[in-house]
Amino acid sequence: MPFNLIFALSVGYGLSSPKYAAVKKFSWICLLIPLGYLAVYKTAFLTEKGKAFHTFKKHKGGLNYYILPWMNNNTGILEFTIDKKTAPEPVEWMTTIAREYIELMKTKGYTEDELRKL
């Protein structure tokens, strides 16, 4: 279950306690928090800045990675490093550490396909 849905349920449950009797009947609105993320995501794609940001961060998953809390099918740093992809921003510090980790895991018998799944 995505973190933000759990957070929304927790906030709604807290607001439904007797301490907050005035807002108790509106506590169900917290379930709309995930819809807020989706609305921001859709709105960002309508702007030029949003499209440019998505293109610039495409190596990481673009707006899907940064806005959508469920983050499906995003490229991880191990997969990024194994595929020798390049980014439009400096990520050398991350890929250096990932290369060291990949080499360490290969000495323990992991294959590149297994490392991609990590």
Side-chain angles (χ1 to χ4, degrees), residues 45-105:
F45 268 113
L46 296 175
T47 66
E48 288 301 317
K49 291 249 186 210
K51 290 176 188 174
F53 181 83
H54 180 70
T55 303
F56 183 71
K57 297 287 189 171
K58 190 74 173 171
H59 67 280
K60 199 169 196 174
L63 288 172
N64 301 349
Y65 178 81
Y66 285 96
I67 295 178
L68 297 180
W70 36 92
M71 299 191 309
N72 292 324
N73 300 321
N74 293 323
T75 303
I77 188 62
L78 295 179
E79 183 180 355
F80 182 84
T81 306
I82 291 170
D83 292 342
K84 295 180 175 48
K85 293 182 180 179
T86 58
E89 58 187 340
V91 292
E92 185 60 34
W93 63 274
M94 236 183 329
T95 54
T96 301
I97 294 169
R99 274 190 229 107
E100 292 173 7
Y101 181 75
I102 289 167
E103 291 305 315
L104 175 68
M105 296 307 280

Side-chain angles (χ1 to χ4, degrees), residues 22-38:
V23 294
K24 186 175 183 174
K25 57 185 159 197
F26 300 109
S27 62
W28 61 271
I29 292 175
C30 293
L31 292 175
L32 300 178
I33 290 174
L35 292 178
Y37 279 92
L38 193 57

